[in-house]
């Protein structure tokens, strides 16, 4: 366990748990110090616990079985069940004791040892299950408890069914919108006709492939509807004869967290499977899937994964959750997909308390200092003031792609960055294609100030997007050049030629302009990562742009209409009329500060200024003059002015 002592007169303790379930809890108190709850440390000790199976407590560590492409679903299920049985056998007594009930007993023993008659508790995500079970067992020992992003109070199969039902309600609102735009998208003039047309399209491409186009967050951000509709129309127009690119194996959905260490997946499953009797056999899986898909036709096979966690696990016992008399506050985020809002409503009905609805799509952010209504946390723990009704959460553009419509053909999605295929005028069809993004999007991290990286360097991989933003397939290559000195670019040469990409994906690269944009020129900023396109003007050319220890010259400041968001780094900036690539989106001033990271400043003969909220791009005109034989970088060319090592 860990403790951060109260800085003033101590009146009690605040226990925290980060969730998972299965994540270590000892770091939790230090996280609370940078949250809305930090002021409570004046009077409350902050306590964290590595519940059994996690962190520094005794663990069982097992490797997750690797995916085998040639296996049938049943073979995969049985192999995973066998692996789970072998892992349990390492320490059967411990494996079967990793439960919310035992975690609650352990937490109560620590309460006793520390001498507290009652405790306060803040839990988010998987930690809400611990809080709900502890209060059901020890209600008289709870002072105040807040649970954010609520776990389902019922077993795996029932939880998944409730989740899918919530998504289908959102889909039907999308179908109504599509029906109203039948002249554009041609899926039908009524919601019933739209649903029928989309069922046929789903049958054509497969459930899990189709799920990537019918995003569960459609209800959260209606601005995405236009982008989603464009993707569906592209798919419809491709015809039934064309094979779609094979989708990569989807990662396990462990209530919002990936495999954190070799024991996390097993510990997560232990907590869930010891509380559920679902999905022990393959026949169980098939039966539950058929029942769910009959009622909710757009549910995917991927929805089965929380059930298949328990393959090979002895049947467990559901949590015995009860209402109580201690002060309890719940908060659910209406549009999030990790712990769906419907689970918060189910838990509220089961155990009582007050329910606050946060109208955003974020997960476990109630304690964030940046969330305005997070102040309700302090009010609750300080004087027990309940929070009811709803409050605004984070804006949609901070929780997912805002989705302005536009053509994304030629863009490439990288991990956490955008990029684009570019072609100098001198390039031939048989030349290896070039990929362009920011210097700070280099796959091995941003170059140091003054550093210029050259040669056949780090491998880079991304997904080529269609005009509507569908991922068509991968491209791979190696970095040729990268720097953040004087400019902000990474240029890579791909393994595929321009002809290869045209033949495989029907996509053309952006022509690389040899001159930069001028003030007043109409431009578009196309972000593959955010699947968004902004239209505006190049407002000004900045002599020097300074951001921390980095400086660039002749940067472009956008007019305010190009309100680029985090995640748009490396986006193509193209001439609105010719689609020639004239710059690469680079940075923006987020907070109005001067010359700091994420807060660049402009320097000219009049001094230093900062324009909060404005975005900037780095010009790319100098690249064309440095392209030599074989469509590769040649810094020795007389006309080449790119920074050199």
């Amino acid at each position: 366990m860990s403790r951060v002592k109260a800085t003033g007169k101590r009146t009690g303790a605040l226990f925290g748990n980060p969730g998972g379930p299965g994540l270590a809890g000892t770091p939790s108190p230090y996280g609370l110090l940078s949250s809305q709850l930090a002021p409570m440390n004046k009077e409350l000790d902050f306590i964290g616990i590595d519940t059994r199976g996690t962190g520094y407590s005794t663990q069982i560590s097992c490797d997750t079985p690797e995916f085998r492409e040639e296996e049938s679903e049943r073979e995969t299920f049985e192999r995973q069940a066998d692996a789970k049985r072998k892992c349990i056998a390492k320490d059967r007594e411990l494996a079967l004791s990793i439960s919310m009930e035992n975690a609650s007993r352990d937490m109560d023993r620590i309460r006793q040892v520390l001498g507290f008659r009652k405790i306060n508790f803040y839990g988010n995500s998987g930690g809400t299950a611990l809080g709900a079970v502890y209060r059901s067992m020890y209600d008289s020992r709870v002072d105040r408890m807040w649970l954010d992003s609520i776990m389902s109070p019922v077993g795996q199969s029932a939880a998944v069914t409730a989740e899918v039902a919530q998504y289908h309600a959102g889909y039907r609102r999308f179908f109504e919108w599509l029906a109203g735009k039948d002249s554009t998208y041609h899926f039908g003039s009524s919601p019933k006709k739209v649903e029928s047309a989309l069922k046929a399209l789903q049958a054509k491409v497969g459930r899990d492939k189709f799920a990537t186009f019918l995003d569960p967050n459609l209800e959260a951000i209606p601005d995405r509807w236009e982008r989603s509709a464009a993707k569906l129309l592209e798919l419809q127009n491709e015809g039934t004869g064309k094979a779609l690119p094979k989708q990569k194996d989807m990662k396990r959905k462990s209530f919002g967290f990936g495999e954190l260490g070799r024991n996390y997946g097993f510990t997560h499953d232990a907590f869930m499977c010891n509380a559920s009797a679902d999905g022990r056999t393959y026949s169980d899986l098939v039966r539950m899937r058929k029942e769910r898909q009959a009622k909710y036709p757009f549910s995917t096979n991927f929805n089965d994964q929380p059930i298949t966690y328990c393959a090979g696990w002895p049947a467990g016992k559901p949590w015995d959750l009860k209402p109580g008399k201690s002060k309890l506050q719940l908060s659910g985020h209406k549009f999030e997909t990790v712990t769906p809002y419907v689970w918060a409503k189910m838990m509220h009905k089961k155990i009582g308390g007050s329910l606050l609805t946060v109208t955003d799509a974020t997960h476990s952010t109630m304690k964030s200092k940046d969330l305005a209504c997070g102040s309700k946390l302090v009010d609750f723990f300080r004087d027990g003031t309940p929070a009811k009704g709803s409050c605004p959460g984070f804006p949609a553009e901070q929780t997912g792609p805002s989705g302005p419509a536009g053509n994304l053909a030629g863009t490439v999605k990288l991990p956490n960055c955008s990029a684009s295929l570019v072609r100098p005028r001198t390039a031939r069809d048989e030349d290896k294609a070039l990929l362009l993004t920011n210097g700070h999007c280099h796959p091995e991290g941003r170059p140091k100030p003054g550093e210029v990286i050259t040669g056949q360097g780090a491998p880079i991989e991304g997904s080529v997007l269609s005009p509507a933003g569908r991922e068509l397939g991968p491209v791979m290559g190696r970095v040729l050049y990268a720097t953040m000195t004087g400019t902000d670019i990474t240029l890579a040469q791909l393994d595929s030629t321009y002809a290869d990409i045209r033949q495989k994906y029907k996509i053309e690269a952006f022509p690389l302009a040899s001159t930069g944009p001028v003030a007043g020129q109409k431009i578009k900023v196309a972000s593959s990562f955010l699947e968004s396109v902004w239209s505006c003007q190049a407002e000004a050319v900045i002599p020097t742009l300074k951001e921390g220890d980095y400086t660039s010259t002749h940067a472009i400041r956008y007019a305010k209409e190009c309100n680029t968001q985090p995640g748009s780094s490396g986006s193509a900036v193209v001439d609105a009329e010719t689609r020639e690539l004239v710059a690469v989106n680079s940075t923006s001033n987020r907070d109005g500060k001067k010359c700091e990271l994420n807060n660049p400043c402009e320097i000219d003969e009049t001094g230093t200024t900062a324009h909060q909220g404005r975005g900037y791009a780095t010009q790319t005109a100098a690249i064309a003059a440095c392209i030599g034989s074989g469509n590769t970088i040649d810094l020795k060319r007389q006309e080449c002015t790119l920074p050199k090592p």
Side-chain angles (χ1 to χ4, degrees), residues 34-242:
S34 58
S35 76
Q36 290 271 11
L37 288 166
M40 298 306 302
N41 188 226
K42 183 175 181 180
E43 56 209 73
L44 299 177
D45 284 356
F46 287 175
I47 307 294
I49 305 167
D50 287 343
T51 56
R52 59 182 71 189
T54 73
Y56 290 100
S57 297
T58 305
Q59 300 180 5
I60 301 174
S61 184
C62 299
D63 291 320
T64 301
E66 293 182 1
F67 173 75
R68 294 180 183 175
E69 190 170 342
E70 72 280 1
E71 278 186 334
S72 68
E73 181 184 57
R74 181 171 196 135
E75 288 171 335
T76 299
F77 185 96
E78 298 298 350
R79 187 166 59 86
Q80 290 179 340
D82 185 59
K84 195 65 65 70
R85 282 189 286 267
K86 290 177 180 177
C87 195
I88 292 171
K90 288 186 173 183
D91 191 335
R92 186 177 180 84
E93 185 178 6
L94 175 59
L96 300 185
S97 77
I98 298 174
S99 67
M100 291 301 172
E101 292 83 358
N102 281 333
S104 296
R105 293 181 181 104
D106 295 341
M107 187 161 73
D108 196 59
R109 286 190 180 127
I110 289 175
R111 174 198 64 80
Q112 289 177 289
V113 168
L114 294 177
F116 295 110
R117 188 174 65 86
K118 293 186 176 186
I119 64 169
N120 299 282
F121 182 87
Y122 176 82
N124 57 269
S125 192
T128 64
L130 175 59
V133 171
Y134 182 87
R135 182 173 179 267
S136 296
M137 295 173 65
Y138 304 111
D139 182 45
S140 64
R141 299 169 192 175
V142 174
D143 188 1
R144 290 159 195 167
M145 177 178 291
W146 189 304
L147 308 177
D148 180 42
S149 284
I150 315 294
M151 291 277 287
S152 170
V154 296
Q156 302 276 54
S157 180
V160 170
T161 299
E163 177 182 16
V164 170
Q166 175 181 315
Y167 297 158
H168 271 254
Y171 297 160
R172 291 195 172 94
R173 282 183 276 277
F174 175 56
F175 298 161
E176 291 174 7
W177 178 86
L178 269 179
K181 293 184 175 291
D182 185 47
S183 60
T184 301
Y185 298 110
H186 315 296
F187 284 108
S189 56
S190 70
K192 188 173 181 179
K193 290 180 179 179
V194 170
E195 184 166 350
S196 179
L198 293 185
K199 283 180 183 177
L201 190 56
Q202 181 195 49
K204 167 188 158 185
V205 303
R207 287 181 176 273
D208 286 331
K209 181 69 178 179
F210 188 78
T212 63
F213 306 113
L214 207 56
D215 185 340
N217 248 350
L218 281 170
E219 185 185 9
I221 309 172
D223 284 345
R224 290 183 179 179
W225 291 3
E226 191 172 349
R227 173 71 66 197
S228 295
K231 290 181 182 181
L232 292 168
L233 184 60
E234 269 188 358
L235 201 62
Q236 179 85 309
N237 291 340
E238 280 185 346
T240 57
K242 182 176 178 181

Side-chain angles (χ1 to χ4, degrees), residues 246-288:
K246 189 173 179 71
Q247 188 173 341
K248 291 183 177 180
D249 179 41
M250 300 180 82
K251 301 295 184 184
R252 64 188 290 135
K253 181 184 176 185
S254 299
F255 296 95
F257 298 93
E259 295 287 346
L260 305 182
R262 293 180 64 232
N263 77 303
Y264 169 70
F266 179 83
T267 307
H268 166 275
D269 295 352
F271 273 114
M272 300 308 299
C273 298
N274 285 329
S276 173
D278 295 327
R280 267 46 183 181
T281 68
Y282 185 69
S283 60
D284 289 338
L285 173 68
V286 173
R287 173 182 53 80
M288 290 185 287

